[in-house]
Amino acid sequence: MSETYPPITEHLDDVETARDEGRRKMDWALQHMPILQALREEFESEKPLDGQRIAMAMHVEAKTANLVELLALGGAEVAITGCNPLSTHDDVSAALDAHDNITSYAVRGVDEEGYYEALRATLDFDPTITVDDGMDLVYLVHEEYPDLIDTIVGGAEETTTGVHRLRSMDEDGELKYPVFAVNDTPMKRLFDNVHGTGESSLATIAMTTNLSWAGKNVVVGGYGYCGKGVAKKAAGQNANVIVAEVDSRRALEAHMEGYDVMPMAEAAEVGDVFITTTGNRDVITREHFEVMQDGVLLANAGHFDVEINLEDLSDLAVDQYEARDGVDAYEMEDGRRLNVLAEGRLVNLAAPLSLGHPVEVMDQSFGVQAVCVREMVENGDAYDAGVHDVPDDLDREVAEIKLEAEGIEFDSLSDEQREYMGSWAHGT
Ligand SMILES: NC(=O)c1ccc[n+]([C@@H]2O[C@H](COP(=O)([O-])OP(=O)(O)OC[C@H]3O[C@@H](n4cnc5c(N)ncnc54)[C@H](O)[C@@H]3O)[C@@H](O)[C@H]2O)c1
C-alpha cells in the first residue's frame, strides 16, 4: 500500500456494504465471461504470474474487476487505479481491495491531483508489469519513475489513444520497455471498438436523455472502428446517420455504406445528436456551436474529453445548468440550448447511468489482456523495448476459447488447402 495515497476503503463510510454490492456486480459479469472463466481455471492451477507485481490504470467497474481478480488468482500482486475520474464504481473498487493480493486506489470523481496521486501510488508499489488504458502509467514511469524501467518486464495497452501515444513515443526512441498493443489485435478492435462502443454509447445516451433515435439526424465524428459501430447501431435504431471524417478512404467507406458524408461545419446545422469518436481534439468547436439547433445533444465516445471544445461552449453560453443527471445545458444568447452529456468525457463510461461495454465484449478484450500479461511473464525477454502486436496465436487462442464456450464448431483447412494457400506456384 502507498504511504502517501489512501486506498478506496479510506474514502468510504460503509466499506462492507460497498464490498458486497461490488462483489454482486462482479459475479453477474463473470457469469457472462466464459473466456475469463476458462482462464481462471488455468491461472488458478498453474499460477503463471507468481511473483509478479502488476500496476493497472483502467476503468474500474465489474468487468475489469474480473480481469484484475484473474491476474491475482494467477499469482500476481496487483495495484489498480482508474483511467478516468468518472468511470470508477466505488463499490467494485472496494470489492477488489478486499483481496489480499489487490490494492485499489480507484475513487469516483477524484480531482486531477487525486487522479495523478493514485497513479503514482500504483507505481510506488514497484511493478514488474503495467496494464494501461490510455498510456498514463507508461508515461508516468518514463517521466517520474525511470528507475522502474530496469525491473519492468513489459506492459499492455487497451485503447486506440494509448496505442497512438505509445507508437509516437516509440518512433521518438523514448519507449524503454516492450508493450503489447492489445487495442490493435482483431479479437479486441473488431468487437470492442465496433460493437462495444456502438451499443454502449447509444444505450447510455438513450438512458441518460430518455429520447428516441428514430428519425433523428445523428452526426458521427470520425468513421474509424468506434465510429463504424456507432453509425451502424444508430442506423439500426432508425436514425439518419451523417458522418464527418478527415480521411478520404474512410469518408468513402461511410458513403458506400449509405450514410451522408459532409464536413462538420455543414453537419452542425442539421444534426440532432453529435457523437465524436476520433481520438482527436477540437472536432466540435465554436463555429459549430454557433449554428447548431436548439436542443441538440453532444456526446463524446473518444478516450479523452478534448473532442468537444467545452471552453468555446462556455464562452458562448449566457447560462449553464444541469438539465438532467449527466446532462449540462449551455444556453446561448439567442435562447438555443446545447446539451452536453457526461461533461464531454467518454459517454459510455462516464455518464451517471453508464455501464460501459456489454459484458461479452469485454470478456474478449480482457481475455486478450490476460494472455498478453502471461506472455510477457513467460517470454518477456523475446520482446525488445517498443510497441508489439499481440502474437496471432494468442489472439486465436482467445477466439477458440469463446467459440468452444458458445458450442460453435468451425471448419479447418485440409492439408491440400493449406499447401495451396501457402504456395506461389499455383496459377490458372
Ligand atoms: N468509448 C469507448 O468505450 C472506446 C472504446 C475503444 C476506443 N475508444 C477511443 O475512441 C477513439 C477512436 O478509436 P478508434 O479505434 O475508432 O480509432 P480509429 O483511428 O480507427 O478512428 C478514428 C477516426 O477519426 C478520424 N478523425 C480524426 N480526426 C478527425 C476530425 N477532426 N474530424 C473527423 N474525423 C477525424 C480518423 O480519420 C479516423 O478515421 C480513441 O480515442 C479510442 O481510444 C473508445
Side-chain angles (χ1 to χ4, degrees), residues 59 133-134 157-164 183 188-189 192-194 196-197 200-201 220-228 244-248 250-251 264 276-283 300-304 307 346-349 356-357:
H59 302 291
D133 187 331
E157 168 57 52
E158 173 77 8
T159 199
T160 314
T161 287
V163 171
H164 276 171
N183 177 76
K188 198 276 182 185
R189 187 153 69 176
D192 175 314
N193 299 29
V194 179
T197 308
S200 62
S201 299
V220 182
Y223 194 67
Y225 290 91
C226 295
K228 284 174 191 168
E245 244 299 342
V246 292
D247 180 292
S248 53
R250 286 191 157 166
M264 185 59 85
T276 52
T277 64
T278 70
N280 202 349
R281 58 178 300 165
D282 298 330
V283 181
N300 167 46
H303 190 77
F304 289 120
E307 306 212 10
L346 79 180
V347 68
N348 57 326
L349 279 151
H357 285 6

Tab-separated table of all heavy atoms in Angstrom, residues 59 133-134 157-164 183 188-189 192-194 196-197 200-201 220-228 244-248 250-251 264 276-283 300-304 307 346-349 356-357, ligand 1:
chain	number	residue	atom	x	y	z
A	59	HIS	N	-10.582	1.377	-16.412
A	59	HIS	CA	-11.902	1.752	-15.910
A	59	HIS	C	-12.288	0.733	-14.839
A	59	HIS	O	-12.437	-0.455	-15.138
A	59	HIS	CB	-12.930	1.730	-17.035
A	59	HIS	CG	-12.567	2.648	-18.163
A	59	HIS	ND1	-12.583	4.025	-18.025
A	59	HIS	CD2	-12.163	2.410	-19.430
A	59	HIS	CE1	-12.216	4.580	-19.170
A	59	HIS	NE2	-11.951	3.624	-20.022
A	133	ASP	N	-4.881	1.847	-19.860
A	133	ASP	CA	-5.954	2.174	-20.800
A	133	ASP	C	-5.838	3.673	-21.048
A	133	ASP	O	-6.426	4.484	-20.331
A	133	ASP	CB	-7.310	1.807	-20.169
A	133	ASP	CG	-8.465	1.950	-21.147
A	133	ASP	OD1	-8.378	2.791	-22.056
A	133	ASP	OD2	-9.467	1.224	-20.988
A	134	GLY	N	-4.974	4.048	-22.016
A	134	GLY	CA	-4.740	5.468	-22.294
A	134	GLY	C	-3.288	5.882	-22.097
A	134	GLY	O	-2.941	7.043	-22.309
A	157	GLU	N	-1.455	-2.370	-23.486
A	157	GLU	CA	-2.270	-1.147	-23.617
A	157	GLU	C	-3.606	-1.490	-24.249
A	157	GLU	O	-3.666	-2.137	-25.287
A	157	GLU	CB	-1.514	-0.099	-24.446
A	157	GLU	CG	-2.345	1.091	-24.902
A	157	GLU	CD	-3.026	1.878	-23.785
A	157	GLU	OE1	-2.357	2.279	-22.830
A	157	GLU	OE2	-4.258	2.085	-23.887
A	158	GLU	N	-4.665	-0.979	-23.634
A	158	GLU	CA	-6.028	-1.363	-24.006
A	158	GLU	C	-6.625	-0.569	-25.176
A	158	GLU	O	-7.366	-1.108	-25.981
A	158	GLU	CB	-6.914	-1.164	-22.749
A	158	GLU	CG	-8.394	-1.338	-22.933
A	158	GLU	CD	-8.852	-2.795	-23.017
A	158	GLU	OE1	-8.023	-3.684	-22.789
A	158	GLU	OE2	-10.031	-3.013	-23.331
A	159	THR	N	-6.350	0.744	-25.272
A	159	THR	CA	-7.162	1.526	-26.205
A	159	THR	C	-6.382	2.221	-27.317
A	159	THR	O	-5.156	2.379	-27.248
A	159	THR	CB	-8.052	2.543	-25.448
A	159	THR	OG1	-9.113	2.966	-26.314
A	159	THR	CG2	-7.278	3.765	-24.991
A	160	THR	N	-7.127	2.674	-28.344
A	160	THR	CA	-6.541	3.308	-29.525
A	160	THR	C	-5.674	4.506	-29.154
A	160	THR	O	-4.541	4.649	-29.635
A	160	THR	CB	-7.668	3.808	-30.466
A	160	THR	OG1	-8.644	2.784	-30.605
A	160	THR	CG2	-7.131	4.192	-31.822
A	161	THR	N	-6.228	5.378	-28.307
A	161	THR	CA	-5.487	6.588	-27.945
A	161	THR	C	-4.171	6.230	-27.252
A	161	THR	O	-3.126	6.832	-27.524
A	161	THR	CB	-6.376	7.484	-27.057
A	161	THR	OG1	-7.379	8.061	-27.905
A	161	THR	CG2	-5.594	8.590	-26.386
A	162	GLY	N	-4.209	5.234	-26.369
A	162	GLY	CA	-2.986	4.799	-25.689
A	162	GLY	C	-1.973	4.263	-26.687
A	162	GLY	O	-0.774	4.563	-26.613
A	163	VAL	N	-2.458	3.463	-27.651
A	163	VAL	CA	-1.539	2.888	-28.643
A	163	VAL	C	-0.955	3.996	-29.522
A	163	VAL	O	0.248	3.983	-29.829
A	163	VAL	CB	-2.242	1.797	-29.488
A	163	VAL	CG1	-1.366	1.361	-30.656
A	163	VAL	CG2	-2.597	0.598	-28.626
A	164	HIS	N	-1.767	5.009	-29.884
A	164	HIS	CA	-1.236	6.153	-30.659
A	164	HIS	C	-0.105	6.820	-29.888
A	164	HIS	O	0.959	7.122	-30.442
A	164	HIS	CB	-2.322	7.212	-30.870
A	164	HIS	CG	-3.210	6.925	-32.034
A	164	HIS	ND1	-4.342	7.653	-32.287
A	164	HIS	CD2	-3.136	5.988	-33.012
A	164	HIS	CE1	-4.928	7.168	-33.376
A	164	HIS	NE2	-4.216	6.164	-33.810
A	183	ASN	N	-5.117	-3.101	-28.090
A	183	ASN	CA	-6.190	-2.471	-28.866
A	183	ASN	C	-6.228	-2.934	-30.320
A	183	ASN	O	-7.294	-3.113	-30.902
A	183	ASN	CB	-6.047	-0.954	-28.847
A	183	ASN	CG	-7.110	-0.299	-29.711
A	183	ASN	OD1	-8.268	-0.208	-29.303
A	183	ASN	ND2	-6.751	0.113	-30.921
A	188	LYS	N	-9.805	-7.783	-30.192
A	188	LYS	CA	-10.219	-6.598	-29.427
A	188	LYS	C	-10.923	-5.607	-30.340
A	188	LYS	O	-12.100	-5.297	-30.211
A	188	LYS	CB	-8.982	-5.974	-28.754
A	188	LYS	CG	-9.288	-5.019	-27.613
A	188	LYS	CD	-9.584	-3.618	-28.071
A	188	LYS	CE	-9.847	-2.658	-26.931
A	188	LYS	NZ	-10.248	-1.343	-27.415
A	189	ARG	N	-10.205	-5.116	-31.333
A	189	ARG	CA	-10.664	-3.948	-32.077
A	189	ARG	C	-11.923	-4.215	-32.914
A	189	ARG	O	-12.786	-3.355	-33.021
A	189	ARG	CB	-9.514	-3.486	-32.980
A	189	ARG	CG	-9.789	-2.200	-33.674
A	189	ARG	CD	-8.535	-1.457	-34.009
A	189	ARG	NE	-7.752	-2.120	-35.031
A	189	ARG	CZ	-6.644	-1.611	-35.554
A	189	ARG	NH1	-6.206	-0.444	-35.135
A	189	ARG	NH2	-5.971	-2.250	-36.453
A	192	ASP	N	-14.732	-4.934	-29.635
A	192	ASP	CA	-14.846	-3.942	-28.553
A	192	ASP	C	-15.097	-2.552	-29.121
A	192	ASP	O	-16.093	-1.884	-28.804
A	192	ASP	CB	-13.539	-4.028	-27.751
A	192	ASP	CG	-13.379	-3.005	-26.654
A	192	ASP	OD1	-13.643	-1.823	-26.889
A	192	ASP	OD2	-12.940	-3.381	-25.558
A	193	ASN	N	-14.207	-2.103	-30.026
A	193	ASN	CA	-14.344	-0.740	-30.553
A	193	ASN	C	-15.620	-0.595	-31.379
A	193	ASN	O	-16.311	0.419	-31.293
A	193	ASN	CB	-13.122	-0.363	-31.403
A	193	ASN	CG	-11.832	-0.394	-30.602
A	193	ASN	OD1	-11.718	-1.153	-29.655
A	193	ASN	ND2	-10.878	0.421	-30.969
A	194	VAL	N	-15.914	-1.613	-32.176
A	194	VAL	CA	-17.062	-1.506	-33.079
A	194	VAL	C	-18.366	-1.759	-32.310
A	194	VAL	O	-19.162	-0.840	-32.097
A	194	VAL	CB	-16.919	-2.508	-34.256
A	194	VAL	CG1	-18.131	-2.417	-35.168
A	194	VAL	CG2	-15.633	-2.233	-35.035
A	196	GLY	N	-18.903	-2.861	-29.083
A	196	GLY	CA	-18.956	-2.376	-27.697
A	196	GLY	C	-19.255	-0.893	-27.645
A	196	GLY	O	-20.203	-0.444	-26.980
A	197	THR	N	-18.472	-0.099	-28.360
A	197	THR	CA	-18.667	1.352	-28.314
A	197	THR	C	-20.017	1.725	-28.922
A	197	THR	O	-20.730	2.580	-28.402
A	197	THR	CB	-17.530	2.083	-29.065
A	197	THR	OG1	-16.291	1.611	-28.551
A	197	THR	CG2	-17.617	3.578	-28.897
A	200	SER	N	-22.931	0.457	-26.401
A	200	SER	CA	-22.976	1.085	-25.076
A	200	SER	C	-23.131	2.608	-25.163
A	200	SER	O	-23.770	3.221	-24.311
A	200	SER	CB	-21.757	0.704	-24.235
A	200	SER	OG	-20.576	1.152	-24.840
A	201	SER	N	-22.586	3.224	-26.216
A	201	SER	CA	-22.755	4.678	-26.326
A	201	SER	C	-24.217	5.010	-26.588
A	201	SER	O	-24.796	5.901	-25.957
A	201	SER	CB	-21.894	5.255	-27.452
A	201	SER	OG	-20.541	4.999	-27.196
A	220	VAL	N	-21.902	11.495	-36.652
A	220	VAL	CA	-20.809	10.724	-36.055
A	220	VAL	C	-19.493	11.362	-36.502
A	220	VAL	O	-19.205	11.437	-37.703
A	220	VAL	CB	-20.873	9.244	-36.500
A	220	VAL	CG1	-19.765	8.441	-35.831
A	220	VAL	CG2	-22.243	8.649	-36.169
A	221	GLY	N	-18.724	11.846	-35.564
A	221	GLY	CA	-17.433	12.470	-35.870
A	221	GLY	C	-16.369	11.397	-35.869
A	221	GLY	O	-16.051	10.839	-34.816
A	222	GLY	N	-15.818	11.067	-37.057
A	222	GLY	CA	-14.799	10.017	-37.165
A	222	GLY	C	-15.451	8.700	-37.539
A	222	GLY	O	-16.374	8.245	-36.857
A	223	TYR	N	-14.997	8.111	-38.639
A	223	TYR	CA	-15.562	6.831	-39.079
A	223	TYR	C	-14.469	5.761	-39.010
A	223	TYR	O	-14.137	5.091	-39.963
A	223	TYR	CB	-16.132	6.983	-40.494
A	223	TYR	CG	-17.019	5.840	-40.910
A	223	TYR	CD1	-18.240	5.618	-40.287
A	223	TYR	CD2	-16.626	4.972	-41.937
A	223	TYR	CE1	-19.055	4.569	-40.676
A	223	TYR	CE2	-17.446	3.926	-42.338
A	223	TYR	CZ	-18.651	3.730	-41.692
A	223	TYR	OH	-19.461	2.686	-42.077
A	224	GLY	N	-13.846	5.659	-37.834
A	224	GLY	CA	-12.888	4.573	-37.586
A	224	GLY	C	-13.659	3.395	-37.003
A	224	GLY	O	-14.851	3.235	-37.230
A	225	TYR	N	-12.958	2.580	-36.205
A	225	TYR	CA	-13.620	1.387	-35.640
A	225	TYR	C	-14.808	1.786	-34.769
A	225	TYR	O	-15.905	1.238	-34.903
A	225	TYR	CB	-12.602	0.548	-34.853
A	225	TYR	CG	-11.606	-0.098	-35.779
A	225	TYR	CD1	-10.413	0.541	-36.114
A	225	TYR	CD2	-11.882	-1.322	-36.364
A	225	TYR	CE1	-9.516	-0.038	-36.998
A	225	TYR	CE2	-10.989	-1.917	-37.253
A	225	TYR	CZ	-9.816	-1.264	-37.557
A	225	TYR	OH	-8.937	-1.833	-38.451
A	226	CYS	N	-14.588	2.740	-33.868
A	226	CYS	CA	-15.688	3.134	-32.966
A	226	CYS	C	-16.802	3.824	-33.753
A	226	CYS	O	-17.983	3.543	-33.542
A	226	CYS	CB	-15.168	4.069	-31.871
A	226	CYS	SG	-14.001	3.296	-30.750
A	227	GLY	N	-16.417	4.712	-34.643
A	227	GLY	CA	-17.410	5.451	-35.419
A	227	GLY	C	-18.288	4.508	-36.252
A	227	GLY	O	-19.496	4.712	-36.374
A	228	LYS	N	-17.661	3.456	-36.799
A	228	LYS	CA	-18.439	2.493	-37.594
A	228	LYS	C	-19.496	1.816	-36.730
A	228	LYS	O	-20.626	1.600	-37.160
A	228	LYS	CB	-17.515	1.425	-38.194
A	228	LYS	CG	-16.746	1.962	-39.361
A	228	LYS	CD	-15.718	0.977	-39.881
A	228	LYS	CE	-14.841	1.732	-40.864
A	228	LYS	NZ	-13.652	1.066	-41.273
A	244	ALA	N	-18.843	12.752	-40.367
A	244	ALA	CA	-17.830	13.776	-40.650
A	244	ALA	C	-16.463	13.113	-40.488
A	244	ALA	O	-16.204	12.490	-39.450
A	244	ALA	CB	-17.974	14.944	-39.674
A	245	GLU	N	-15.627	13.172	-41.506
A	245	GLU	CA	-14.319	12.487	-41.493
A	245	GLU	C	-13.230	13.405	-42.037
A	245	GLU	O	-13.530	14.386	-42.726
A	245	GLU	CB	-14.374	11.228	-42.365
A	245	GLU	CG	-14.188	9.890	-41.655
A	245	GLU	CD	-12.858	9.711	-40.940
A	245	GLU	OE1	-11.888	10.435	-41.216
A	245	GLU	OE2	-12.782	8.817	-40.075
A	246	VAL	N	-11.983	13.079	-41.735
A	246	VAL	CA	-10.863	13.810	-42.339
A	246	VAL	C	-10.043	12.897	-43.257
A	246	VAL	O	-9.151	13.357	-43.962
A	246	VAL	CB	-9.917	14.398	-41.260
A	246	VAL	CG1	-10.618	15.501	-40.481
A	246	VAL	CG2	-9.389	13.319	-40.329
A	247	ASP	N	-10.336	11.597	-43.215
A	247	ASP	CA	-9.582	10.631	-44.020
A	247	ASP	C	-10.418	10.256	-45.249
A	247	ASP	O	-11.563	9.810	-45.117
A	247	ASP	CB	-9.303	9.391	-43.145
A	247	ASP	CG	-8.531	8.318	-43.884
A	247	ASP	OD1	-9.091	7.704	-44.825
A	247	ASP	OD2	-7.375	8.076	-43.518
A	248	SER	N	-9.831	10.429	-46.438
A	248	SER	CA	-10.600	10.241	-47.675
A	248	SER	C	-11.181	8.838	-47.789
A	248	SER	O	-12.341	8.649	-48.158
A	248	SER	CB	-9.706	10.545	-48.886
A	248	SER	OG	-8.521	9.786	-48.795
A	250	ARG	N	-11.858	6.650	-45.491
A	250	ARG	CA	-12.928	6.361	-44.523
A	250	ARG	C	-14.199	7.140	-44.862
A	250	ARG	O	-15.300	6.640	-44.670
A	250	ARG	CB	-12.423	6.637	-43.117
A	250	ARG	CG	-11.467	5.503	-42.722
A	250	ARG	CD	-11.081	5.490	-41.306
A	250	ARG	NE	-10.663	4.163	-40.900
A	250	ARG	CZ	-10.027	3.900	-39.776
A	250	ARG	NH1	-9.732	4.883	-38.943
A	250	ARG	NH2	-9.703	2.675	-39.465
A	251	ALA	N	-14.017	8.347	-45.387
A	251	ALA	CA	-15.194	9.110	-45.824
A	251	ALA	C	-15.902	8.337	-46.938
A	251	ALA	O	-17.127	8.230	-46.967
A	251	ALA	CB	-14.760	10.494	-46.315
A	264	MET	N	-18.034	18.792	-40.839
A	264	MET	CA	-18.720	19.051	-39.566
A	264	MET	C	-19.436	20.410	-39.608
A	264	MET	O	-20.514	20.573	-39.011
A	264	MET	CB	-17.702	19.010	-38.409
A	264	MET	CG	-18.312	19.148	-37.041
A	264	MET	SD	-19.549	17.866	-36.645
A	264	MET	CE	-18.506	16.551	-36.049
A	276	THR	N	-18.783	12.108	-30.990
A	276	THR	CA	-17.414	12.140	-31.511
A	276	THR	C	-16.682	10.848	-31.149
A	276	THR	O	-16.795	10.354	-30.025
A	276	THR	CB	-16.633	13.346	-30.950
A	276	THR	OG1	-16.750	13.354	-29.526
A	276	THR	CG2	-17.166	14.655	-31.493
A	277	THR	N	-15.923	10.327	-32.104
A	277	THR	CA	-15.197	9.061	-31.892
A	277	THR	C	-13.846	9.133	-32.592
A	277	THR	O	-13.440	8.178	-33.253
A	277	THR	CB	-15.979	7.863	-32.485
A	277	THR	OG1	-16.055	8.045	-33.913
A	277	THR	CG2	-17.384	7.739	-31.944
A	278	THR	N	-13.135	10.244	-32.475
A	278	THR	CA	-11.941	10.431	-33.312
A	278	THR	C	-10.623	10.168	-32.589
A	278	THR	O	-9.616	9.900	-33.235
A	278	THR	CB	-11.863	11.877	-33.857
A	278	THR	OG1	-11.572	12.752	-32.761
A	278	THR	CG2	-13.154	12.304	-34.528
A	279	GLY	N	-10.587	10.334	-31.267
A	279	GLY	CA	-9.299	10.311	-30.569
A	279	GLY	C	-8.526	11.599	-30.817
A	279	GLY	O	-7.365	11.722	-30.431
A	280	ASN	N	-9.165	12.576	-31.464
A	280	ASN	CA	-8.507	13.841	-31.781
A	280	ASN	C	-9.152	14.976	-30.972
A	280	ASN	O	-10.182	14.775	-30.331
A	280	ASN	CB	-8.642	14.119	-33.277
A	280	ASN	CG	-7.590	15.073	-33.788
A	280	ASN	OD1	-6.876	15.697	-32.998
A	280	ASN	ND2	-7.497	15.197	-35.099
A	281	ARG	N	-8.586	16.158	-31.027
A	281	ARG	CA	-9.129	17.276	-30.262
A	281	ARG	C	-9.906	18.237	-31.177
A	281	ARG	O	-9.733	18.226	-32.395
A	281	ARG	CB	-8.016	18.044	-29.543
A	281	ARG	CG	-6.946	18.581	-30.477
A	281	ARG	CD	-5.925	19.371	-29.713
A	281	ARG	NE	-6.557	20.491	-29.049
A	281	ARG	CZ	-6.000	21.215	-28.077
A	281	ARG	NH1	-4.799	20.916	-27.670
A	281	ARG	NH2	-6.629	22.224	-27.535
A	282	ASP	N	-10.752	19.034	-30.548
A	282	ASP	CA	-11.431	20.137	-31.251
A	282	ASP	C	-12.187	19.682	-32.498
A	282	ASP	O	-12.097	20.313	-33.557
A	282	ASP	CB	-10.407	21.222	-31.645
A	282	ASP	CG	-9.745	21.814	-30.421
A	282	ASP	OD1	-10.409	21.852	-29.360
A	282	ASP	OD2	-8.568	22.195	-30.510
A	283	VAL	N	-12.904	18.610	-32.376
A	283	VAL	CA	-13.708	18.117	-33.505
A	283	VAL	C	-14.974	18.970	-33.612
A	283	VAL	O	-15.459	19.260	-34.700
A	283	VAL	CB	-14.049	16.628	-33.286
A	283	VAL	CG1	-14.855	16.076	-34.445
A	283	VAL	CG2	-12.765	15.822	-33.103
A	300	ASN	N	-19.378	12.514	-26.404
A	300	ASN	CA	-18.077	12.059	-26.896
A	300	ASN	C	-17.873	10.597	-26.513
A	300	ASN	O	-18.127	10.222	-25.369
A	300	ASN	CB	-16.965	12.918	-26.252
A	300	ASN	CG	-15.594	12.303	-26.465
A	300	ASN	OD1	-15.268	11.890	-27.583
A	300	ASN	ND2	-14.802	12.216	-25.411
A	301	ALA	N	-17.422	9.801	-27.488
A	301	ALA	CA	-17.088	8.405	-27.168
A	301	ALA	C	-15.596	8.138	-27.386
A	301	ALA	O	-15.149	7.002	-27.312
A	301	ALA	CB	-17.934	7.450	-28.011
A	302	GLY	N	-14.812	9.183	-27.657
A	302	GLY	CA	-13.355	9.041	-27.765
A	302	GLY	C	-12.730	9.056	-26.371
A	302	GLY	O	-13.393	9.394	-25.384
A	303	HIS	N	-11.467	8.704	-26.300
A	303	HIS	CA	-10.871	8.444	-24.975
A	303	HIS	C	-10.790	9.672	-24.062
A	303	HIS	O	-11.116	9.601	-22.893
A	303	HIS	CB	-9.472	7.845	-25.157
A	303	HIS	CG	-8.915	7.327	-23.864
A	303	HIS	ND1	-9.329	6.136	-23.309
A	303	HIS	CD2	-8.018	7.849	-22.991
A	303	HIS	CE1	-8.700	5.946	-22.160
A	303	HIS	NE2	-7.896	6.962	-21.947
A	304	PHE	N	-10.324	10.794	-24.597
A	304	PHE	CA	-10.158	11.973	-23.731
A	304	PHE	C	-11.261	13.003	-23.972
A	304	PHE	O	-11.908	13.002	-25.018
A	304	PHE	CB	-8.769	12.611	-23.941
A	304	PHE	CG	-7.641	11.774	-23.386
A	304	PHE	CD1	-6.624	11.301	-24.202
A	304	PHE	CD2	-7.604	11.449	-22.032
A	304	PHE	CE1	-5.594	10.523	-23.686
A	304	PHE	CE2	-6.572	10.676	-21.501
A	304	PHE	CZ	-5.566	10.214	-22.336
A	307	GLU	N	-12.555	16.322	-27.392
A	307	GLU	CA	-13.124	16.293	-28.749
A	307	GLU	C	-14.185	17.381	-28.932
A	307	GLU	O	-14.323	17.967	-29.990
A	307	GLU	CB	-13.688	14.896	-29.062
A	307	GLU	CG	-12.642	13.807	-28.841
A	307	GLU	CD	-12.761	12.603	-29.757
A	307	GLU	OE1	-13.533	12.643	-30.705
A	307	GLU	OE2	-12.028	11.622	-29.505
A	346	LEU	N	-15.829	10.307	-22.126
A	346	LEU	CA	-16.391	9.214	-22.924
A	346	LEU	C	-17.696	8.730	-22.314
A	346	LEU	O	-17.738	8.254	-21.184
A	346	LEU	CB	-15.383	8.119	-23.260
A	346	LEU	CG	-14.939	7.039	-22.342
A	346	LEU	CD1	-13.923	6.159	-23.045
A	346	LEU	CD2	-14.371	7.621	-21.107
A	347	VAL	N	-18.738	8.918	-23.100
A	347	VAL	CA	-20.107	8.894	-22.581
A	347	VAL	C	-20.500	7.524	-22.065
A	347	VAL	O	-21.210	7.414	-21.067
A	347	VAL	CB	-21.083	9.403	-23.656
A	347	VAL	CG1	-21.202	8.436	-24.836
A	347	VAL	CG2	-22.446	9.697	-23.082
A	348	ASN	N	-20.003	6.479	-22.715
A	348	ASN	CA	-20.453	5.140	-22.342
A	348	ASN	C	-19.822	4.659	-21.044
A	348	ASN	O	-20.176	3.601	-20.539
A	348	ASN	CB	-20.180	4.134	-23.468
A	348	ASN	CG	-18.727	4.100	-23.855
A	348	ASN	OD1	-18.047	5.122	-23.806
A	348	ASN	ND2	-18.224	2.958	-24.234
A	349	LEU	N	-18.890	5.427	-20.517
A	349	LEU	CA	-18.277	5.037	-19.244
A	349	LEU	C	-18.413	6.101	-18.170
A	349	LEU	O	-18.343	5.795	-16.985
A	349	LEU	CB	-16.793	4.708	-19.449
A	349	LEU	CG	-16.592	3.296	-19.992
A	349	LEU	CD1	-15.336	3.201	-20.813
A	349	LEU	CD2	-16.563	2.290	-18.850
A	356	GLY	N	-20.695	0.963	-19.364
A	356	GLY	CA	-19.588	0.555	-20.225
A	356	GLY	C	-20.047	-0.472	-21.247
A	356	GLY	O	-21.240	-0.701	-21.439
A	357	HIS	N	-19.068	-1.090	-21.895
A	357	HIS	CA	-19.368	-2.067	-22.947
A	357	HIS	C	-20.143	-3.255	-22.396
A	357	HIS	O	-19.992	-3.604	-21.226
A	357	HIS	CB	-18.060	-2.617	-23.517
A	357	HIS	CG	-17.351	-1.672	-24.427
A	357	HIS	ND1	-17.739	-0.384	-24.644
A	357	HIS	CD2	-16.260	-1.863	-25.184
A	357	HIS	CE1	-16.915	0.175	-25.507
A	357	HIS	NE2	-16.005	-0.695	-25.842
B	1	LIG	N1	-15.818	4.735	-25.800
B	1	LIG	C1	-15.163	3.613	-25.701
B	1	LIG	O1	-15.512	2.733	-24.935
B	1	LIG	C2	-13.979	3.391	-26.571
B	1	LIG	C3	-13.584	2.086	-26.942
B	1	LIG	C4	-12.477	1.933	-27.780
B	1	LIG	C5	-11.765	3.050	-28.208
B	1	LIG	N2	-12.163	4.290	-27.775
B	1	LIG	C6	-11.472	5.515	-28.177
B	1	LIG	O2	-12.179	6.036	-29.305
B	1	LIG	C7	-11.290	6.797	-30.131
B	1	LIG	C8	-11.352	6.260	-31.560
B	1	LIG	O3	-10.896	4.918	-31.598
B	1	LIG	P1	-10.940	4.088	-32.981
B	1	LIG	O4	-10.421	2.732	-32.643
B	1	LIG	O5	-12.224	4.252	-33.652
B	1	LIG	O6	-9.811	4.908	-33.785
B	1	LIG	P2	-9.605	4.996	-35.369
B	1	LIG	O7	-8.233	5.529	-35.553
B	1	LIG	O8	-9.985	3.699	-36.026
B	1	LIG	O9	-10.690	6.078	-35.855
B	1	LIG	C9	-10.621	7.442	-35.630
B	1	LIG	C10	-11.180	8.147	-36.885
B	1	LIG	O10	-11.344	9.531	-36.601
B	1	LIG	C11	-10.951	10.259	-37.757
B	1	LIG	N3	-10.630	11.633	-37.360
B	1	LIG	C12	-9.502	12.120	-36.762
B	1	LIG	N4	-9.619	13.445	-36.561
B	1	LIG	C13	-10.835	13.805	-37.042
B	1	LIG	C14	-11.537	15.040	-37.112
B	1	LIG	N5	-11.009	16.164	-36.659
B	1	LIG	N6	-12.778	15.040	-37.658
B	1	LIG	C15	-13.337	13.906	-38.143
B	1	LIG	N7	-12.718	12.700	-38.092
B	1	LIG	C16	-11.490	12.663	-37.544
B	1	LIG	C17	-9.773	9.472	-38.306
B	1	LIG	O11	-9.531	9.787	-39.666
B	1	LIG	C18	-10.244	8.031	-38.081
B	1	LIG	O12	-10.951	7.543	-39.216
B	1	LIG	C19	-9.945	6.670	-29.459
B	1	LIG	O13	-9.769	7.766	-28.596
B	1	LIG	C20	-10.061	5.399	-28.640
B	1	LIG	O14	-9.137	5.345	-27.581
B	1	LIG	C21	-13.267	4.487	-27.002
